[in-house]
Amino acid sequence: MSFRQLFLMPLLATLLAVLATSVKAHSNGMDMSMDGSMDLEAGQMLPYLHFTRGDIVLFYGWVPSSKGAMVGTCIGLFLFALVERWIAACRGVMEAHWQKRAQIAQADRINLPTATSSEKVTLTSTRVRDTVTLRNAPPFSWAHDVARGLLHAVQVAIQFIFMLIVMTFQASFILSLVIGLGVGETMFGRFASHAAMH
């Protein structure tokens, strides 16, 4: 270290210490402690796993407070989990379809007819090189890759919604999602796994 660095380091540390002590938090009179439950006008959020009614589900106005509303919400979440597994199965089947289409396009490109005999040697060597060094990823296709991106975006959005629902700590909602995902995988999982094998 040079003399300049040795001199500037303690000066910089002193300056930061002085600035840190001069910064004060502004109090607006609100108690911001997160020790207890959060009482809201429409519902109550409990920070632990529970079965009580009155949690907000995704929107401020969706607060199932009766037994019937809780059952209806749980059935809706169960069906929503089934839809997520159905979308995952559709995506798996489409991935297999897109892979076959890409292989066909690659084979068609390699098997193009030659125009003249003088170009035949160059084209044949290029085809052999392409055949031997097939790339691992298929080429970009607007029809395939845009649809793949949209399906992925929908799946991620649904998974974020699941995360928000789990963050309510409402055990009946969590069980509805888990059971729905399990039943959905039982119903639709074979399509995605069968498509992945072929």
Side-chain angles (χ1 to χ4, degrees):
M1 284 186 147
S2 69
F3 177 72
R4 178 180 278 173
Q5 290 174 338
L6 286 174
F7 176 73
L8 289 178
M9 293 291 254
L11 183 63
L12 185 61
T14 306
L15 181 64
L16 287 174
V18 169
L19 287 175
T21 58
S22 66
V23 175
K24 294 181 181 176
H26 177 67
S27 174
N28 59 1
M30 293 180 63
D31 181 23
M32 298 302 288
S33 69
M34 300 297 285
D35 294 335
S37 64
M38 190 182 308
D39 291 325
L40 299 174
E41 189 174 304
Q44 181 179 22
M45 293 182 67
L46 301 174
Y48 50 85
L49 203 58
H50 60 279
F51 282 99
T52 59
R53 299 185 298 264
D55 287 315
I56 298 172
V57 183
L58 298 178
F59 305 107
Y60 187 68
W62 188 4
V63 183
S65 56
S66 67
K67 288 182 181 179
M70 285 294 291
V71 169
T73 301
C74 289
I75 291 171
L77 293 176
F78 173 83
L79 295 175
F80 194 51
L82 288 179
V83 168
E84 194 278 331
R85 290 287 79 206
W86 175 73
I87 291 172
C90 289
R91 184 174 175 200
V93 169
M94 292 307 295
E95 287 287 345
H97 172 72
W98 293 328
Q99 184 179 11
K100 286 181 183 179
R101 294 284 304 251
Q103 288 172 348
I104 291 170
Q106 180 77 10
D108 288 346
R109 188 176 67 79
I110 291 171
N111 294 325
L112 288 175
T114 58
T116 63
S117 61
S118 64
E119 297 174 351
K120 191 172 191 177
V121 173
T122 308
L123 288 174
T124 304
S125 64
T126 304
R127 286 184 192 157
V128 170
R129 186 189 70 227
D130 286 346
T131 305
V132 172
T133 61
L134 285 175
R135 52 185 165 168
N136 294 332
F140 182 81
S141 169
W142 281 100
H144 302 168
D145 293 320
V146 170
R148 179 184 292 115
L150 289 174
L151 280 173
H152 183 71
V154 168
Q155 274 191 293
V156 168
I158 291 172
Q159 290 167 358
F160 284 157
I161 290 171
F162 287 168
M163 177 193 63
L164 291 173
I165 291 169
V166 168
M167 287 174 58
T168 63
F169 290 101
Q170 174 53 262
S172 57
F173 298 164
I174 295 169
L175 287 174
S176 298
L177 289 176
V178 169
I179 293 170
L181 290 170
V183 170
E185 186 64 26
T186 302
M187 292 172 64
F188 305 115
R190 66 185 182 277
F191 297 112
S193 64
H194 178 71
M197 288 189 300
H198 291 59

